[in-house]
Amino acid sequence: MTMKGYLRQDGRKGIRNLVAVAYLVECAHHVAREIALPQREHAHVIGFPGCFPNEYAQSMMERLCTHPNVGAVMIVSLGCESFNRFQLEQFVRDSGRQVETLVIQKTGGTRSAIARGQAFVERAVEALSKAKTVPMAVSDLVIGTVCGGSDGTSGISGNPAAGRAFDRLVSEGAACIFEETGELIGCEDIMAARAATPELAEELRASVEKAAQYYATLGFGSFAAGNADGGLSTIEEKSMGAYAKSGTSPILGLIKPGDIPPTGGLYLMDVVPDGPVRFGFPNISDNAEIVEMMASGAHMTLFVTGRGSVVGSALAPVIKIAANPEMYGRLHEDMDVNAGRIMEGTATLDEIGTEIYEQVVAVAGGTQTKSEDLGHREFILTYKSFEPIGPACLPV
Amino acid sequence: MTDDRLIILAPQDSVVVVRCGISKGETLIIGDDEIILGVAVSMGHKLALRSVGKGDAILKYGAPIGSATSDILVGEHVHLHNMKSDYTPTYALEGAQTEFEK
């Protein structure tokens, strides 16, 4: 399959050409949802619920509104929230995208705001449907990976198979991002040994130590009750399984949400906030992780699940990899890849790894993932605070 | 020679992973031992590959995943009742496991 992409002004290429409908406070969420509804295939709702300013949320929204899969943006503001809508609009306009801001308080209320917004979206979708495409290669792709609803099968089947796919994508020049430092607790040493430089090794180790301290303050690990039902006993055990998603490539860099990988290669995303514990859990659900992958430019996310997550995502497709064959039997309509066959002994890690790689190429070429086709558009963004990454974190 | 229903992830591990649900009372071969399973276990759960003393590290994937909170014999189910994290405590819903088994 030949991949074709939508070339953006910053040189990145999109595999979809969507309108983002972005609400800037929860009070504008309903209007945003109604605006997108008639064009739900082409217009995705994203947004930030908080009324009070947060630098992280501002930069995340800027990154998301200029994601390579986004071609135009409708900003929906109530009018009195603290979010800097002027800065967001300017950022999007400077990226070469069509953008309009709708302030509900100035538009005559809900009904007229929805009507104006729908008219913008309809025009934008029409314009985007005529956009020209350019050839695209695997080396143009940014791929994220997360796992959720993990069980004792995840770390044996789905996660290492995703790791094999990552190895191949990295070898062909793609940028691949794995995360969640809170789910790498116990893997510090083996992970640091894969760092491209000794300085990066220290950064990787420090990011996991930060996560361990953060979760210790909260009193809970990144571990849900269902993980234990599925046979996982400790956060270290869950971590070792999650770590397998990273494959075996050298680790080239450490990024934070919204940082765009500067080259191909394998990157760890540090998702745990810096400084004292302020806003609660780092990521309150799997979708928060997918959103952070998107903010760092991920064209799609590989999602390995044992217990059976059904979520998808706004803006960037999610490929669902079932780790557990019993769960695949129950939820096959939501699953793109059955890595549970590894548990049953009917497929090898390499075979499933190849299948995942082929799915990535097909989805980049326009094939819809299951969650995409089912209309899953989950999105969540909450308060966080980060320091910029250190000088040793990126390849020179 | 270890039973086909069990996966050994690394030779130095203290546990094996169960490939499919196995009923209570079934006979299993683990290494040189023949054991009778004391409880039903579902897919993805762990059984002891070798005996482990209280306080010793539990190894899976060749790496420590926590430590034993009691002495564990070969073939015993290894989970929240006899091991713990060396980092943060594990949160589990009481009753969820029995619900899942139904």
Side-chain angles (χ1 to χ4, degrees):
Chain A
M1 185 175 303
T2 345
M3 274 192 257
K4 289 200 185 330
Y6 301 94
L7 182 63
R8 310 300 180 195
Q9 200 175 277
D10 61 7
R12 292 189 288 166
K13 295 169 188 170
I15 61 167
R16 300 288 185 270
N17 206 12
L18 302 164
V19 180
V21 181
Y23 62 90
L24 305 187
V25 62
E26 184 58 23
C27 319
H29 193 163
H30 170 71
V31 169
R33 202 162 31 212
E34 290 293 313
I35 288 171
L37 197 58
Q39 298 281 352
R40 53 187 296 198
E41 303 283 306
H42 310 289
H44 290 194
V45 177
I46 63 172
F48 179 60
C51 187
F52 310 106
N54 182 239
E55 212 175 294
Y56 158 83
Q58 183 84 32
S59 77
M60 289 287 284
M61 288 298 286
E62 290 171 3
R63 290 297 189 199
L64 291 161
C65 286
T66 56
H67 185 281
N69 291 351
V70 173
V73 182
M74 166 94 269
I75 297 170
V76 189
S77 157
L78 175 64
C80 48
E81 74 275 5
S82 308
F83 199 101
N84 190 335
R85 63 177 185 266
F86 309 103
Q87 185 184 319
L88 177 62
E89 188 186 290
Q90 194 58 48
F91 192 87
V92 176
R93 182 158 291 119
D94 291 346
S95 79
R97 288 169 175 82
Q98 194 191 352
V99 57
E100 194 174 302
T101 302
L102 195 60
V103 180
I104 298 169
Q105 289 165 348
K106 291 183 182 170
T107 316
T110 299
R111 212 179 300 273
S112 28
I114 291 169
R116 273 189 52 184
Q118 287 182 346
F120 171 87
V121 169
E122 197 182 324
R123 288 194 308 273
V125 168
E126 171 67 17
L128 293 179
S129 70
K130 293 174 188 145
K132 290 198 172 60
T133 55
V134 296
M136 195 170 167
V138 168
S139 57
D140 290 315
L141 290 172
V142 179
I143 310 291
T145 182
V146 302
C147 50
S150 295
D151 67 14
T153 66
S154 306
I156 297 164
S157 58
N159 287 338
R164 302 286 165 102
F166 256 30
D167 286 344
R168 181 152 171 205
L169 290 162
V170 165
S171 76
E172 293 180 21
C176 291
I177 312 171
F178 70 110
E179 46 90 68
E180 176 359 358
T181 41
E183 293 172 4
L184 294 168
I185 291 171
C187 307
E188 308 83 276
D189 295 335
I190 47 174
M191 189 164 68
R194 285 170 61 197
T197 64
E199 294 77 16
L200 176 62
E202 279 317 299
E203 292 277 3
L204 295 175
R205 209 186 290 274
S207 73
V208 178
E209 276 163 20
K210 178 180 71 172
Q213 278 175 20
Y214 203 95
Y215 280 104
T217 306
L218 293 170
F220 287 106
S222 182
F223 195 102
N227 297 145
D229 301 338
L232 295 176
S233 306
T234 64
I235 183 63
E236 301 95 293
E237 181 181 12
K238 183 176 171 181
S239 294
M240 281 302 300
Y243 175 70
K245 297 196 301 301
S246 66
T248 56
S249 310
I251 300 172
L252 211 55
L254 173 73
I255 58 173
K256 291 180 180 175
D259 295 331
I260 315 281
T263 64
L266 181 66
Y267 295 81
L268 171 67
M269 181 184 283
D270 174 9
V271 304
V272 174
D274 294 310
V277 176
R278 258 183 287 192
F279 302 119
F281 275 90
N283 279 333
I284 62 171
S285 61
D286 296 328
N287 276 96
E289 299 173 357
I290 297 171
V291 167
E292 292 183 331
M293 285 293 167
M294 293 194 301
S296 284
H299 292 89
M300 67 186 93
T301 301
L302 310 179
F303 187 139
V304 181
T305 179
R307 306 291 286 170
S309 170
V310 301
V311 304
S313 158
L315 305 191
V318 171
I319 295 180
K320 205 70 60 57
I321 300 161
N324 180 324
E326 291 172 359
M327 180 276 287
Y328 182 83
R330 290 192 302 276
L331 298 184
H332 57 90
E333 66 183 38
D334 290 277
M335 299 295 142
D336 296 286
V337 176
N338 179 12
R341 286 156 54 214
I342 296 163
M343 294 298 293
E344 296 171 327
T346 56
T348 64
L349 279 175
D350 281 331
E351 284 164 356
I352 302 293
T354 301
E355 198 178 316
I356 296 169
Y357 169 87
E358 285 166 356
Q359 274 272 340
V360 167
V361 173
V363 169
T367 303
Q368 297 242 310
T369 69
K370 292 279 180 69
S371 53
E372 193 178 12
D373 182 50
L374 287 163
H376 280 282
R377 303 286 185 261
E378 289 87 352
F379 183 93
I380 189 159
L381 179 59
T382 56
Y383 286 88
K384 277 192 180 185
S385 55
F386 283 102
E387 300 294 328
I389 50 172
C393 289
L394 293 181
V396 184
Chain B
M1 185 56 206
T2 292
D3 207 289
D4 283 349
R5 293 170 291 181
L6 308 174
I7 305 171
I8 299 177
L9 292 168
Q12 67 270 44
D13 282 358
S14 23
V15 291
V16 291
V17 178
V18 175
R19 198 190 277 279
C20 53
I22 308 177
S23 311
K24 178 181 175 176
E26 284 205 39
T27 305
L28 290 172
I29 312 287
I30 299 182
D32 298 330
D33 296 293
E34 188 178 297
I35 64 110
I36 293 172
L37 196 59
V39 290
V41 286
S42 41
M43 181 189 294
H45 281 247
K46 300 177 291 299
L47 301 177
L49 173 61
R50 49 179 58 95
S51 56
V52 181
K54 182 178 177 178
D56 289 350
I58 309 276
L59 298 179
K60 181 184 173 186
Y61 302 103
I65 59 160
S67 46
T69 53
S70 59
D71 292 339
I72 302 173
L73 299 174
V74 175
E76 265 187 67
H77 185 209
V78 179
H79 202 22
L80 309 176
H81 60 284
N82 55 11
M83 70 170 293
K84 66 172 184 62
S85 169
D86 295 326
Y87 288 82
T88 48
T90 299
Y91 173 73
L93 277 180
E94 261 179 61
Q97 181 56 28
T98 38
E99 179 197 272
F100 179 62
E101 280 163 0
K102 284 175 199 161

